[in-house]
Amino acid sequence: MDTPPEDTIPPTPDDRRRAVPLKGRGTATRLAHRFESTAREADLDNTPPPAAGGSHEHDEFAVEGVPVTSVVHEQARSILSRNDSPDIPFMWSINPYRGCEHGCIYCYARPTHSYLNLSPGLDFETRLVAKVNAAELLRKELSRASHEPSPVNIGAATDAYQPIERELRITRGVLEVLAECQHPFTIVTKSSGVERDIDLLALAAQRRQTAVFISITSLDAALSRKLEPRAAAPHRRLQTVRRLSEAGVPVGVNVAPIIPFLNEPEIERIIAAAAEAGARSVHYTIVRLPWEVNPLFQEWLGHHVPERAGRIMARIRDMRGGADYRAEFGTRMKGQGIWADLIRQRVNAARQRAGVTGLGPVLDGGAFVPFAAPVRHRSVGGAEGQTELF
């Protein structure tokens, strides 16, 4: 029996269930999340296929029109998250938003929407949560005597400068609090919206208290529109690197994630372009497919690059010990095996040629001025005028 070539996906009955791609969205699928006890399925035998250019029934597999983005304002209970992972070079992180309208199909944060009882698929990029009290909470948490002024990373999971930030300005409020108490911080983004805050970033840079990292996945605008449909175009991100650098802000570029046979051939070109734009450092990660990201990503491959889908997944498995994903510390970010080693060597050689490093700047936490803890009173024993601190 003949076997299909390794770079093709043989058609299966489930192929009919793939959601029709939506312009401006990473996925059209409302994939059931891993905590759901039941799942619905379209009756494909009794549902006619959509007409070309027509509308589609609104279910897990097809969506009518282009869904609008909805935003829920949340009064969060905490804003600083402590990191214990040895793979991540920061102790504290802040994510002003849950979900991300950029719609990057490979985003490792998609599974976090499951905790909200929402789909990591289309819901992740259309049903957002904004932590509107982030600045207030941060001020409170930085007033604690136990706080350690280690750099805070902003946007580790979802982009702090996604489109809704233009209106809500939550990230701006967070930066103002950090600037007021001279706390070090870093930012990771693929949005040019970060340029709005160059005034605060330049001042923090003068105190050696900030660095910004711009993610550039590809220099191919057409590929970028499919991979990360609502993020800034590649040329615009390079312009942001240049503008930050010219303002004196230390800026690095993340070639992330590297996807074999997709953006992997561009590694050297991206690093050269980043250095030419003023980046001081270049970093990278290998694509990660945890939980619900895996089926969403493979569905995307089937839609957009079916002729390469098999090869891409085979190479990913080569770098993941034969699995689609492995979460062990030490290898989850960079992969393992011969192909992962080859990518590491290529990145290092390209860095050397471009004159950039793989290390970010050392930030200064010594100037941190903690906020005074609020003083609250309560009466003791019912005696008027007698109070105690707590």
Side-chain angles (χ1 to χ4, degrees):
M1 181 177 178
D2 293 335
T3 58
E6 67 168 1
D7 60 345
T8 63
I9 295 180
T12 69
D14 285 342
D15 284 353
R16 296 180 302 158
R17 295 192 171 107
R18 290 177 179 155
V20 178
L22 292 173
K23 183 178 180 180
R25 297 296 182 186
T27 181
T29 301
R30 279 196 168 87
L31 179 76
H33 62 73
R34 62 190 181 279
F35 302 120
E36 288 191 31
S37 57
T38 60
R40 293 182 298 114
E41 209 173 84
D43 184 0
L44 299 171
D45 293 329
N46 295 302
T47 303
S55 62
H56 311 290
E57 183 180 350
H58 192 123
D59 56 33
E60 276 96 344
F61 310 108
V63 178
E64 182 176 1
V66 178
V68 298
T69 301
S70 64
V71 184
V72 173
H73 290 193
E74 176 187 68
Q75 292 290 323
R77 289 179 292 182
S78 63
I79 195 64
L80 274 177
S81 297
R82 189 182 182 102
N83 165 60
D84 295 319
S85 168
D87 294 324
I88 300 175
F90 53 82
M91 178 187 295
W92 303 109
S93 66
I94 294 176
N95 290 290
Y97 302 101
R98 301 176 190 267
C100 186
E101 197 174 3
H102 283 161
C104 306
I105 190 59
Y106 52 74
C107 182
Y108 58 81
R110 282 182 176 273
T112 61
H113 244 43
S114 300
Y115 299 115
L116 304 177
N117 200 30
L118 294 172
S119 170
L122 187 60
D123 287 348
F124 178 79
E125 50 195 280
T126 60
R127 299 179 67 177
L128 311 180
V129 176
K131 303 175 186 178
V132 293
N133 61 334
E136 174 188 346
L137 277 175
L138 180 60
R139 181 181 294 272
K140 178 180 177 182
E141 294 178 22
L142 293 182
S143 71
R144 294 173 179 163
S146 61
H147 177 72
E148 301 175 53
S150 178
V152 173
N153 180 266
I154 302 171
T158 58
D159 205 308
Y161 286 96
Q162 59 181 287
I164 57 174
E165 168 63 17
R166 289 195 293 266
E167 175 187 352
L168 297 181
R169 299 174 66 88
I170 298 174
T171 301
R172 174 74 185 193
V174 165
L175 294 187
E176 288 171 346
V177 171
L178 293 170
E180 186 178 346
C181 66
Q182 299 188 47
H183 196 292
F185 63 93
T186 59
I187 294 172
V188 177
T189 183
K190 52 173 63 78
S191 170
S192 292
V194 69
E195 293 176 17
R196 179 201 63 191
D197 296 331
I198 279 182
D199 59 331
L200 295 176
L201 297 173
L203 288 173
Q206 291 175 12
R207 299 191 299 262
R208 295 189 298 112
Q209 290 187 324
T210 194
V212 177
F213 299 91
I214 305 296
S215 297
I216 301 178
T217 314
S218 174
L219 299 179
D220 183 338
L223 175 59
S224 181
R225 281 195 299 271
K226 296 173 184 176
L227 268 177
E228 36 200 27
R230 298 202 177 196
H235 77 276
R236 189 67 182 85
R237 294 184 223 180
L238 286 170
Q239 187 178 60
T240 296
V241 172
R242 189 178 305 279
R243 289 179 175 173
L244 289 168
S245 179
E246 290 172 350
V249 179
V251 57
V253 162
N254 296 324
V255 186
I258 293 175
I259 304 170
F261 303 116
L262 197 62
N263 67 333
E264 164 263 318
E266 299 184 66
I267 290 174
E268 290 80 4
R269 295 197 301 275
I270 295 173
I271 293 175
E276 195 279 330
R280 301 185 189 181
S281 62
V282 171
H283 316 267
Y284 80 98
T285 60
I286 300 296
V287 66
R288 298 161 55 188
L289 303 177
W291 299 107
E292 295 92 343
V293 181
N294 188 18
L296 290 167
F297 180 74
Q298 293 202 50
E299 179 185 80
W300 184 94
L301 293 176
H303 283 313
H304 296 286
V305 287
E307 74 287 353
R308 280 179 279 169
R311 292 175 63 204
I312 289 170
M313 288 307 302
R315 185 58 50 84
I316 288 173
R317 292 174 187 127
D318 283 343
M319 294 188 288
R320 298 294 184 191
D324 290 351
Y325 180 59
R326 298 178 69 95
E328 293 90 350
F329 291 146
T331 60
R332 61 178 183 147
M333 309 294 279
K334 299 290 197 289
Q336 59 184 323
I338 185 172
W339 297 111
D341 288 342
L342 180 59
I343 287 175
R344 176 181 52 80
Q345 293 169 22
R346 288 173 59 190
V347 169
N348 287 339
R351 282 174 179 152
Q352 186 173 14
R353 287 193 299 271
V356 295
T357 73
L359 300 173
V362 176
L363 303 184
D364 182 13
F368 171 61
V369 181
F371 294 107
V375 178
R376 295 181 292 175
H377 300 79
R378 69 181 178 188
S379 61
V380 179
E384 184 177 355
Q386 291 185 325
T387 63
E388 71 173 14
L389 299 179
F390 71 101

